[in-house]
Amino acid sequence: MDVTLRQLRAYLAVLDTASFSEAAKAMHLSQAALSGLIKELESRVGVRLLDRTTRKVSASAVGEIFAPMARRVLSNLDDALENLTNLKELRRGLVRVAAPETLSCTLLPELISAYNGSHPGVDVRFDDVPIQEVLAGLQNGSVDIGFGPAGVVPDQSVEMHMICADPLCVALRSDDPLSKGKSVSWKDLRERPLLNYMPNITINVLSHVPPRHHPKELVAVHRVNTALSMLRVRQGAVICPSMAEPLVRGFGLKFMPLTQPIVKWKIAMFVRNSTSLSPAVESLRDFTLDFSPNWAATGFERRRATER
């Protein structure tokens, strides 16, 4: 049954105004065009929907039953179109974001807060999980955008965008003799047990350091907070990107530049490789790419202020 929305709107307009002429005005049609739409509708449904007299027009017995159904169809369509407009214009939407702990307690709150400031209608749901779960979520569709070290190589289902390269620093106890200087070299650090939470540290970090300067002992933990908590009660060192300075200071530890060589922790944004990303996901992706150059600069200025 080929019934059009235009026919339904014409039918309801007649019921609402109880007049063909008034309904025609409301729809910006001639009265003949409106009558034609009503005739087409009644012909296609095979039943009379309006009772017409010289003095009034009203719904037939069948029309009384059909009218609320027609209103519901048009209301549902209007709601669907309004929701579509809200999604397109970012007045509504959902983005599922995931990142490992180092980023989740440093950069991600700042990013999400800045994004929501300009897009308050978009719901950004954040999950703090290990990098393996970030990539797994991207691949199975439960995560839209992920963050993590660039050395983690996703498969073709995930796009990678480099967003920041942050120098690595070292956290030390205040009673460590190395904390008295202005910087620490990898050679100086070699004798300290390295409390390590970084996955693939050999590939992502130590591959840039001469082997003769590699730490003699690695103590593996899963979370940066665990590593920093352990450092408070035992000798050792924790390597962190410079952006983690507020976190390190919060544990009462010294945070020193790590030099000779300077190694940068490359941070990437991972996005599901899809030709049909939602407007909200596309928006946060683009916002991040515009926002990320400020991260390294802000971290540098913060370190300079601390040094002064």
Side-chain angles (χ1 to χ4, degrees):
M1 204 177 288
D2 188 14
V3 172
T4 69
L5 296 173
R6 191 174 174 82
Q7 292 164 357
L8 293 180
R9 293 190 190 281
Y11 169 60
L12 294 175
V14 172
L15 289 184
D16 291 340
T17 60
S19 164
F20 272 79
S21 60
E22 292 300 319
K25 290 179 184 178
M27 294 190 66
H28 305 288
L29 296 172
S30 67
Q31 189 166 332
L34 180 78
S35 297
L37 289 172
I38 299 299
K39 289 179 181 178
E40 290 173 1
L41 175 62
E42 291 180 326
S43 173
R44 288 174 183 176
V45 299
V47 66
R48 189 177 74 253
L49 297 174
L50 293 172
D51 287 334
R52 307 164 180 81
T53 69
T54 56
R55 302 186 61 180
K56 69 174 185 175
V57 58
S58 60
S60 67
V62 173
E64 289 281 2
I65 298 171
F66 179 66
M69 300 177 187
R71 292 187 193 280
R72 189 159 56 246
V73 167
L74 294 179
S75 176
N76 288 341
L77 175 62
D78 289 341
D79 288 345
L81 293 176
E82 181 181 3
N83 286 335
L84 184 61
T85 299
N86 287 336
L87 291 172
K88 181 181 68 174
E89 297 182 1
L90 300 176
R91 292 196 294 263
R92 188 177 301 169
L94 169 66
V95 188
R96 299 160 301 175
V97 177
E101 184 185 36
T102 310
L103 290 170
S104 67
C105 58
T106 53
L107 296 185
L108 265 298
E110 182 182 351
L111 170 67
I112 293 172
S113 175
Y115 177 78
N116 280 148
S118 55
H119 302 85
V122 177
D123 181 11
V124 180
R125 297 182 186 173
F126 177 66
D127 200 6
D128 170 12
V129 294
I131 187 61
Q132 295 84 355
E133 294 184 34
V134 174
L135 296 178
L138 288 163
Q139 291 163 338
N140 65 32
S142 62
V143 171
D144 299 308
I145 296 179
F147 295 85
V152 179
V153 181
D155 61 25
Q156 293 183 348
S157 68
V158 178
E159 295 178 354
M160 185 181 78
H161 302 268
M162 272 288 301
I163 58 173
C164 188
D166 199 27
L168 290 174
C169 297
V170 59
L172 299 168
R173 289 164 53 98
S174 59
D175 60 359
D176 190 314
L178 292 180
S179 71
K180 308 308 178 188
K182 291 192 174 183
S183 65
V184 177
S185 71
W186 285 92
K187 180 180 178 181
D188 295 335
L189 203 60
R190 188 167 186 266
E191 300 298 327
R192 305 291 192 282
L194 185 62
L195 311 179
N196 177 57
Y197 61 91
M198 294 182 173
N200 302 320
I201 187 173
T202 301
I203 297 172
N204 296 339
V205 176
L206 296 181
S207 61
H208 304 288
V209 178
R212 66 183 183 277
H213 295 159
H214 286 189
K216 288 183 177 180
E217 181 184 358
L218 289 177
V219 180
V221 297
H222 294 293
R223 301 172 64 89
V224 63
N225 280 329
T226 302
L228 295 172
S229 295
M230 289 176 63
L231 184 59
R232 294 177 65 185
V233 297
R234 59 161 291 174
Q235 290 297 326
V238 178
I239 294 173
C240 298
S242 68
M243 71 182 71
E245 181 174 6
L247 178 65
V248 174
R249 302 286 186 194
F251 279 86
L253 300 167
K254 296 281 287 186
F255 202 46
M256 314 285 295
L258 189 53
T259 63
Q260 300 179 28
I262 294 174
V263 179
K264 292 187 176 181
W265 192 53
K266 296 179 180 178
I267 305 164
M269 173 175 60
F270 305 101
V271 184
R272 286 194 299 119
N273 193 355
S274 173
T275 56
S276 58
L277 295 176
S278 74
V281 173
E282 288 185 346
S283 171
L284 181 56
R285 177 197 62 191
D286 296 342
F287 183 90
T288 301
L289 293 174
D290 290 338
F291 185 81
S292 58
N294 298 325
W295 287 348
T298 301
F300 176 76
E301 291 300 324
R302 186 169 55 241
R303 292 191 299 277
R304 287 288 299 276
T306 301
E307 291 169 5
R308 289 196 292 268

